[in-house]
Amino acid sequence: MKLTKKVLAIVMALGMIFCMAAVAFALDGPHYTMDVVKAEDGKTVVVTLTAHDYIGLNSGKVEVGYEGLTLDHIVTGTQAKAVNDTEDNSFQLLINSEKAGRVICGFTFLESLWTTEEFAANAAEDKPLNIDTKNFDLVSIYFKVPENVPSSKVTMVVNSKSVDEADATKSVDNPNFRDEYILVNEVETTTGTTPVNPCVPTTDCCCPGRPCQTTCPTTCCCNTPCNNTPKTDGGKNTGDNSILAVMAGVIALAGAAVVVTKKRK
């Protein structure tokens, strides 16, 4: 049994190592991320698609779905926009936001996503260029968060192509990217407090949960028992004997305790 437990522990440890190694390998290679930033006041959300180490990327289609948000505007990423400062390359972003709840963006490079060194070498004269190809933001979408919306959701699907390493005149499909983000909003709610019923002069005593009494005094307080409570004991006020009933109960318990003590002895 002890040997079985040791073998199982070793297998589980190896499995965890392989899983972590696979994740680390995936993050080291070309990949996308959907980065979401919420403003401090909670009224604006910015969703950015970033390509990491995606050298050779030349075109793609980005589909964004959103719920519980209002589209504000869409801008080309800072790094992507800087590509247009080169002499032989450029970046173009096409936007379709006609349908509510959906945004479609198409992007294309005149050449492809070069290395940082290639961009710097191809910069226009007297204009140094330093493009971060490890964190290359392609597009940013700005949303407004409506008031009193409990939660919001953004989904993103990316289909893209890169230059074929074997033949630069051809393109190959990249792995599809999909991600979603659920934002829980802080909704301000105000709960009204019911004011305490003051004692009001009346000839009737009608309190919630109690039968109406027509013989109440001229002042009726629903927050305290009416002076004339309903009679349920054949004509006697049940509240009149409450103290006597409690005393009787205490005496009975004391008597029972004495009997039990005597039996134990």
Side-chain angles (χ1 to χ4, degrees), residues 140-196:
S140 292
I141 305 173
Y142 289 73
F143 295 98
K144 292 293 184 182
V145 183
E147 295 183 358
N148 299 323
V149 175
S151 64
S152 307
K153 180 180 179 181
V154 179
T155 60
M156 179 179 288
V157 178
V158 181
N159 299 301
S160 62
K161 294 179 179 292
S162 291
V163 175
D164 190 351
E165 294 181 358
D167 186 353
T169 62
K170 297 180 180 180
S171 297
V172 293
D173 293 332
N174 296 320
N176 292 345
F177 170 79
R178 179 182 176 85
D179 198 3
E180 72 174 25
Y181 181 84
I182 297 177
L183 174 68
V184 178
N185 305 319
E186 297 180 0
V187 180
E188 295 184 1
T189 56
T190 55
T191 55
T193 55
T194 304
V196 177

Side-chain angles (χ1 to χ4, degrees), residues 19-59:
C19 289
M20 288 186 290
V23 172
F25 177 78
L27 293 179
D28 285 342
H31 64 282
Y32 293 106
T33 58
M34 183 180 76
D35 307 309
V36 181
V37 177
K38 182 180 180 181
E40 292 184 1
D41 59 5
K43 296 181 179 180
T44 304
V45 172
V46 183
V47 179
T48 300
L49 173 63
T50 304
H52 303 275
D53 294 313
Y54 238 118
I55 306 303
L57 177 69
N58 61 3
S59 63

Side-chain angles (χ1 to χ4, degrees), residues 41-131:
D41 59 5
K43 296 181 179 180
T44 304
V45 172
V46 183
V47 179
T48 300
L49 173 63
T50 304
H52 303 275
D53 294 313
Y54 238 118
I55 306 303
L57 177 69
N58 61 3
S59 63
K61 177 182 178 182
V62 185
E63 295 186 53
V64 178
Y66 57 94
E67 301 173 11
L69 295 168
T70 301
L71 180 63
D72 190 35
H73 64 283
I74 304 169
V75 298
T76 302
T78 303
Q79 306 299 322
K81 187 176 181 180
V83 174
N84 295 317
D85 293 332
T86 60
E87 293 183 346
D88 302 317
N89 206 346
S90 63
F91 179 88
Q92 185 177 16
L93 180 70
L94 301 176
I95 302 170
N96 182 349
S97 58
E98 295 179 358
K99 187 175 181 180
R102 187 183 71 174
V103 174
I104 298 177
C105 298
F107 66 87
T108 180
F109 292 83
L110 180 61
E111 291 287 333
S112 65
L113 180 56
W114 293 340
T115 64
T116 299
E117 293 74 20
E118 288 175 315
F119 278 121
N122 197 252
E125 293 183 4
D126 302 327
K127 196 170 185 180
L129 188 60
N130 183 20
I131 294 180

